[in-house]
Amino acid sequence: MRKILVAYFSASGTTAGAARSIAQAVGGDLYEIRPATPYTRADLDWTDKKSRSFLEMNDPACRPAIAQPVEDMDQYDTIFLGFPIWWYVEPRIVDTFLESYDFSGKTILPFATSGGSGIDGAARNMQARCPGARWVQGRTVHGNAAAWAKGALDKA
């Protein structure tokens, strides 16, 4: 029997909704990747070149701190990983999450929310950070998150 974690970062609530839907559909535990310093509306203003999100995304080495770690990550063998697409890739806090644990031998199924960008750039970045994991083709989800998750899990 698989032990499933649905880990997600959500700045506006959209990814959180998809994550809850997926967790319910696959019977997974839900974990929110929360920043140690929460984002404000001004931080998320991607049109402001001095905003926190703009500065983080323009610094490939940036790793925002996470508020609380996953309890007993070793118990999970399958991880659905959700996030919004920022600047065509995953937010830097997702990189912090990926670099905080050993995912060797675990299956990771990424899902993203986006107004128009695909998940391919993020998938390449994340796979490079965790080459020991088994990566399943990710998807940008909208209202179909639960159906996608069930189908992806069957193929994993």
Side-chain angles (χ1 to χ4, degrees), residues 60-63 94-103 129-130:
C62 180
R63 295 296 180 268
V94 173
D95 295 334
T96 304
F97 174 78
L98 289 171
E99 292 172 0
S100 296
Y101 304 97
D102 180 5
F103 289 98
R129 294 189 197 325
C130 299

Side-chain angles (χ1 to χ4, degrees), residues 23-43:
Q24 184 175 13
V26 301
D29 295 338
L30 201 56
Y31 167 76
E32 181 180 4
I33 302 168
R34 288 184 304 109
T37 303
Y39 289 96
T40 65
R41 184 180 303 270
D43 290 338

Side-chain angles (χ1 to χ4, degrees), residues 66-89:
I66 293 174
Q68 186 173 9
V70 173
E71 289 188 30
D72 192 16
M73 177 62 91
D74 290 340
Q75 70 179 312
Y76 298 104
D77 56 6
T78 303
I79 295 97
F80 282 86
L81 179 57
F83 51 90
I85 299 290
W86 285 7
W87 284 260
Y88 304 103
V89 295

